[in-house]
Amino acid sequence: MRSIWNGAISFGLVSIPIKLVNATENHSISFRQIHTTDGGRVRYRKVCELEGEEIPTHEIGKGYEDADGSIIPITDADLAALPLPTAKTIEIVAFVPEASIDPLQMDAAYYLSANGVPAAKPYTLLREALKRSEKVAVAKYALRGRERLGMLRVVDDVIAMHGLLWPDEIRAPDSVAPDTKVTVREAELDLADALMDTLGEVDMDSLHDDYREAVEAMIASKVSGEALAPQSAPAGGGGKVIDLMAALENSVRAAKEARGGEAVESGEHAEVTSLPARKARKSAAAAPKQTGAKKSTSTAKKTTAKKATKSTSKATSKTASAAKSSQKATQKSSAAKKTTAPRKRTSA
């Protein structure tokens, strides 16, 4: 990438030679002004109001218009004589938490590239120090003839710098908020929360400029001479909100349907956060199932007890039968002994 500025980062007594590279690019499609009757280009020409003639670039200078309309000429020598210590230096003045920088101040973004082998070590030192401290550096620098404010932070293994607007360049938001006093109900906030949860997160890399693609397709169709199929405008937007609750409910329903369609295509289940009231109804509906489970458990316990009782009674009856059989055997043995004794006495 081509550098647009060469200088150094002033980090205390450490100086880090760097090159400034644009971190962003504009992909917007630009148009030229033409004469609608014949298609000829319409160009802007720099004409002197006093002479009425076009002026070449090398004769054009700077001038400040005073309150009375008079022009005060300002030369490059006048500007060069002004003290501008940050003309070739990005001077770090403080290290602060990133959250302390108001996003309203954010301007253009740049990458800072180490300029030469000697710059690698101090560049890496500053980068790792920013990583470990979890802070950003606030710095002053000069670019295109004016001093600016910047914020240095780490992106992957590169130090990036965001141009910042000066605090007095941020307008106060006075009289911007609605003047009418409005009360928001809890039910409306619940629906808004449900809509936010249903929409969920997004992969920023998946977002793209639909309008630019449509313009490119239209230009391609004009070049090829083929008619472009008309596209219907997306529904919604711009209408008056008559029933806020109904609009929120419809939005949640549409978001759930959209998420459901994505889930069917990808084979995954969409995660939808229900409202607190709906959770309560679900809990109440689930209660009979829990009661039924308890009944089934108690029934199983009773059945097991009955089986155990039957087994015990069978064992008891078997023991009683064995005892009766033993008693009968004893009685038969006694009778046999009595019969044998008298025979012995007779033979004697």
Side-chain angles (χ1 to χ4, degrees), residues 97-110:
E98 187 173 357
S100 66
I101 304 295
D102 191 339
L104 285 172
Q105 290 184 254
M106 294 290 186
D107 201 0
Y110 308 93

Side-chain angles (χ1 to χ4, degrees), residues 139-221:
K140 285 183 176 183
Y141 68 102
L143 185 64
R144 299 187 180 96
R146 57 169 293 208
E147 190 170 54
R148 303 167 187 263
L149 195 63
M151 179 191 77
L152 276 63
R153 69 184 183 96
V154 178
V155 177
D156 294 334
D157 286 332
V158 176
I159 299 176
M161 181 173 71
H162 296 267
L164 299 178
L165 299 175
W166 295 98
D168 60 358
E169 292 180 318
I170 305 297
R171 292 181 175 180
D174 298 336
S175 69
V176 177
D179 294 332
T180 307
K181 187 177 180 180
V182 177
T183 302
V184 179
R185 294 178 294 168
E186 288 294 327
E188 293 168 339
L189 284 174
D190 290 340
L191 279 172
D193 289 341
L195 177 58
M196 292 168 64
D197 292 337
T198 304
L199 291 175
E201 299 179 357
V202 66
D203 180 8
M204 296 298 291
D205 292 334
S206 67
L207 301 178
H208 57 278
D209 189 347
D210 294 326
Y211 179 75
R212 178 168 61 89
E213 292 181 356
V215 172
E216 290 174 346
M218 178 265 293
I219 294 173
S221 68

Side-chain angles (χ1 to χ4, degrees), residues 307-341:
K307 288 182 179 179
T309 305
K310 288 181 179 179
S311 300
T312 306
S313 60
K314 285 180 180 180
T316 306
S317 60
K318 285 182 180 179
T319 305
S321 300
K324 286 181 180 179
S325 301
S326 177
Q327 207 170 16
K328 287 180 180 180
T330 304
Q331 290 175 355
K332 285 181 180 180
S333 175
S334 300
K337 286 180 180 179
K338 287 179 181 179
T339 308
T340 306

